[in-house]
């Protein structure tokens, strides 16, 4: 394929261009064929770029967008009232073929609404789903939905399961084990939507559906793809991030309490740093919007420069895998 081009919503997230622009520059060094388009208020972007020497102008350009989208703005208002927002312009670049993917740390609801409006969904998909890879005892697991769809029908959960399985297959997992997140593994457990989704998945040919999994089973690696509605998924993800941060802080405090604990901590430090690196939210930052006719990756709004760089890596991987086309080919068999 031609050189990959990724459009960056430079104005999104909690920190805007002062975080996103510096995070984008190392991506050009890490991936020599990558081209970036920084979308947003050109004066702000240019002033930050001026502080970084050695940026190759042939691989990075700026597209001006006069408007920004606040993290608390309603999606419906954004659709109607902000045609020149950095998020909308970045998505338009993907639609027109001037970019292969869009990365944004902005308002999740607005990004989902604009993505559906600008890029449209693949045939057979009612709603795109947010998916990310989370660490488990056995490796990793694809979790979806993460908050794009708070209220889901059984059919939506079924579609999420199919998309998650295809995403896992494209990453080299043969016959990924697909499970529904539930409050128990018994058939009688769960709400009506989960039970109906289970019935649909049991009848699906070509899917390795293994049944229900509980939250602790997810982290034990009992499934490769775990499906839930966005309300549950978002709470699970944020709680997991908070728990990892708390454990890290508690361990650091314990190792500082006395001379003996400091000595023990110095011996354990290499292993602790390795564990922190494996569990760090920044390493796993970047949730894909599966089911669109284009590639969109959502970065955590509070992500630092390392976290946003991880989201760029995720987008580039999907560009290289041609995710929408390959997803469409598999969905034709499984859904249509």
């Amino acid at each position: 394929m031609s050189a990959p081009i990724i459009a960056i919503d430079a104005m999104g997230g909690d920190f805007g261009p002062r975080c996103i622009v510096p995070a984008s520059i190392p991506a050009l060094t890490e991936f020599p064929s990558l081209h970036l388009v920084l979308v947003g208020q050109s004066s702000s972007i240019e002033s930050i770029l001026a502080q970084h020497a050695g940026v190759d102008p042939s691989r990075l350009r700026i597209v001006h967008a006069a408007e920004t989208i606040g993290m608390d703005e309603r999606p419906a208002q954004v659709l109607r009232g902000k045609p020149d927002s950095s998020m909308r312009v970045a998505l338009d670049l993907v639609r027109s073929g001037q970019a292969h993917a869009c990365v944004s740390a902005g308002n999740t609801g607005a990004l989902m609404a604009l993505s559906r409006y600008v890029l449209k969904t693949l045939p057979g998909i009612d709603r795109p789903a947010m998916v990310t890879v989370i660490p488990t005892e056995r490796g990793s697991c694809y979790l979806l939905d993460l908050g794009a769809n708070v209220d889901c029908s059984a059919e939506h959960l079924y579609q999420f399961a199919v998309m998650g399985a295809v995403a896992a297959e494209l990453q080299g997992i043969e016959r990924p084990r697909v499970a529904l997140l539930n409050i128990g593994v018994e058939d009688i457990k769960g709400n009506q939507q989960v039970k109906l989704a289970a019935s649909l998945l049991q009848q699906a040919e070509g899917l390795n559906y293994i049944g229900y999994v509980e939250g602790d089973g997810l982290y034990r690696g009992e499934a490769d793809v775990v499906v839930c509605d966005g309300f549950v998924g978002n709470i699970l993800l944020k709680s997991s991030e908070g728990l990892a941060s708390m454990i890290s802080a508690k361990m650091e405090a314990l190792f500082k309490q006395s001379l003996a604990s400091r000595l023990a901590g110095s011996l354990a430090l290499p292993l602790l740093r390795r564990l922190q690196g494996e569990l760090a939210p920044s390493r796993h930052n970047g949730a894909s919007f599966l089911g669109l006719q284009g590639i969109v990756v959502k970065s955590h709004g509070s992500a630092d420069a390392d976290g946003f760089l991880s989201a760029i890596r995720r987008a580039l991987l999907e560009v290289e895998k041609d995710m929408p086309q390959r997803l469409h080919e598999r969905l034709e068999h499984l859904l249509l």
Side-chain angles (χ1 to χ4, degrees):
M1 62 172 293
S2 58
I5 304 171
I6 297 178
I8 305 292
D9 171 13
M11 311 306 292
D14 296 346
F15 310 113
R18 71 179 186 273
C19 169
I20 292 172
V21 174
S24 302
I25 295 172
L28 295 172
T29 302
E30 184 174 342
F31 303 103
S33 65
L34 177 64
H35 289 64
L36 295 178
V37 182
L38 298 178
V39 183
Q41 296 174 356
S42 56
S43 58
S44 298
I45 297 172
E46 288 168 355
S47 66
I48 296 171
L49 281 176
Q51 303 170 26
H52 298 269
V55 178
D56 185 352
S58 68
R59 296 173 55 209
L60 186 149
R61 68 186 179 100
I62 299 170
V63 171
H64 180 70
E67 299 172 315
T68 60
I69 295 174
M71 298 298 279
D72 58 348
E73 290 192 60
R74 294 181 179 275
Q77 294 174 327
V78 171
L79 277 172
R80 293 192 300 266
K82 292 196 169 179
D84 196 30
S85 68
S86 56
M87 186 184 291
R88 172 66 181 272
V89 173
L91 290 168
D92 283 337
L93 291 172
V94 177
R95 180 183 61 181
S96 65
Q98 297 179 65
H100 299 103
C102 166
V103 179
S104 175
N107 182 318
T108 303
L111 183 61
M112 175 58 75
L114 284 171
S115 297
R116 291 180 66 183
Y117 178 77
V118 173
L119 300 176
K120 313 303 181 187
T121 57
L122 292 168
I125 297 298
D126 296 325
R127 299 181 183 181
M130 290 177 64
V131 61
T132 194
V133 180
I134 61 173
T136 70
E137 289 182 15
R138 300 182 184 180
S140 60
C141 171
Y142 286 77
L143 176 66
L144 68 164
D145 180 45
L146 300 177
N149 305 281
V150 175
D151 297 309
C152 297
S153 67
E155 182 65 31
H156 294 144
L157 294 176
Y158 173 72
Q159 293 176 12
F160 298 167
V162 171
M163 291 192 292
V166 173
E169 288 172 358
L170 294 181
Q171 298 306 312
I173 301 176
E174 294 186 12
R175 285 185 53 77
R177 299 162 297 159
V178 179
L180 288 168
L181 186 63
N182 201 2
I183 58 173
V185 297
E186 300 85 359
D187 290 341
I188 61 171
K189 297 288 183 69
N191 58 29
Q192 193 65 16
Q193 289 95 325
V194 169
K195 291 178 181 178
L196 289 173
S199 178
L200 291 174
L201 289 168
Q202 287 165 355
Q203 301 172 43
E205 296 182 4
L207 276 185
N208 184 18
Y209 174 64
I210 63 171
Y212 298 143
V213 66
E214 296 183 78
D216 56 348
L218 183 155
Y219 288 105
R220 283 197 295 267
E222 293 178 0
D224 301 304
V225 178
V226 174
V227 179
C228 57
D229 64 47
F231 185 87
V232 172
N234 190 270
I235 291 175
L236 172 63
L237 183 67
K238 299 291 177 59
S239 298
S240 302
E241 292 173 350
L243 177 61
S245 297
M246 184 200 72
I247 292 174
S248 177
K250 289 279 189 181
M251 293 181 69
E252 288 184 11
L254 285 171
F255 284 131
K256 294 177 181 178
Q257 284 185 348
S258 66
L259 177 59
S261 62
R262 285 196 292 272
L263 289 172
S266 65
L267 293 174
L269 190 59
L271 290 176
L272 290 174
R273 285 181 173 169
R274 179 179 173 183
L275 179 62
Q276 285 178 325
E278 290 179 356
L279 300 179
S282 62
R283 178 179 176 182
H284 304 281
N285 182 53
S288 305
F289 281 9
L290 291 182
L292 293 168
Q293 296 184 39
I295 296 169
V296 179
V297 173
K298 171 68 173 67
S299 168
H300 201 299
S302 61
D304 59 11
D306 288 340
F308 196 82
L309 179 57
S310 293
I312 295 176
R313 293 190 187 107
R314 166 59 54 183
L316 181 58
L317 179 64
E318 294 197 10
V319 171
E320 293 172 343
K321 295 286 186 180
D322 195 8
M323 180 70 83
Q325 179 58 36
R326 296 180 70 176
L327 186 60
H328 173 59
E329 292 170 357
R330 289 288 284 122
L331 292 176
E332 280 189 316
H333 170 68
L334 292 169
L335 287 179
L336 301 180

